[in-house]
Amino acid sequence: MGSTLLAKVWDLHTVRRLPTGQTQLFIGLHLVHEVTSPQAFDMLRLRGRGVAFPERTFATADHIVPTDGQPRPFADDMAEQMLAALERNCASLGCRCSGWGATTRGLSTSSARNSASRSPA
């Protein structure tokens, strides 16, 4: 009997089996948003590492985007700090970031899909 689609994709993306029994997978596109990315970027810096594939990393603000078209700086200081940190981190580590003025800003899944269709693979 043939393999399932999931099994085929899983096998094609397997890097190695870990001693814990887990599988390390290679993911071709990494979507980043503004809420938890500061911690991840800080951890990379603390470990002296960069983003492994910055050309495959796409960031956009998708949790703090005001629906009323509010200009920057945002009235919500925490939201402004999160977006500024995302923009700084992406610029310093070479990741694509759909900034506040970009037409691709917003939900990360649609932004990445639109960006991926326009960028060379």
Side-chain angles (χ1 to χ4, degrees):
M1 178 176 230
S3 296
T4 65
L5 179 59
L6 174 61
K8 290 176 185 178
V9 171
W10 191 273
D11 290 344
L12 286 171
H13 290 83
T14 295
V15 175
R16 66 184 171 125
R17 306 267 184 228
L18 303 175
T20 61
Q22 295 173 310
T23 305
Q24 180 182 18
L25 297 174
F26 180 82
I27 305 299
L29 179 66
H30 185 202
L31 304 175
V32 178
H33 62 83
E34 74 285 2
V35 177
T36 57
S37 64
Q39 297 89 330
F41 284 121
D42 286 345
M43 185 62 69
L44 288 173
R45 284 191 190 91
L46 286 171
R47 294 181 177 182
R49 305 184 105 172
V51 175
F53 295 95
E55 71 280 3
R56 294 177 178 212
T57 302
F58 184 85
T60 188
D62 65 347
H63 290 87
I64 59 165
V65 177
T67 57
D68 61 1
Q70 183 182 96
R72 288 184 71 188
F74 299 144
D76 181 338
D77 187 54
M78 182 65 75
E80 180 62 34
Q81 288 177 34
M82 284 192 278
L83 184 53
L86 180 68
E87 292 168 336
R88 274 192 316 273
N89 286 325
C90 288
S92 69
L93 292 168
C95 302
R96 291 178 291 170
C97 181
S98 186
W100 184 244
T103 58
T104 56
R105 73 173 167 83
L107 295 176
S108 57
T109 52
S110 62
S111 295
R113 182 176 54 245
N114 292 340
S115 176
S117 68
R118 290 190 305 267
S119 62

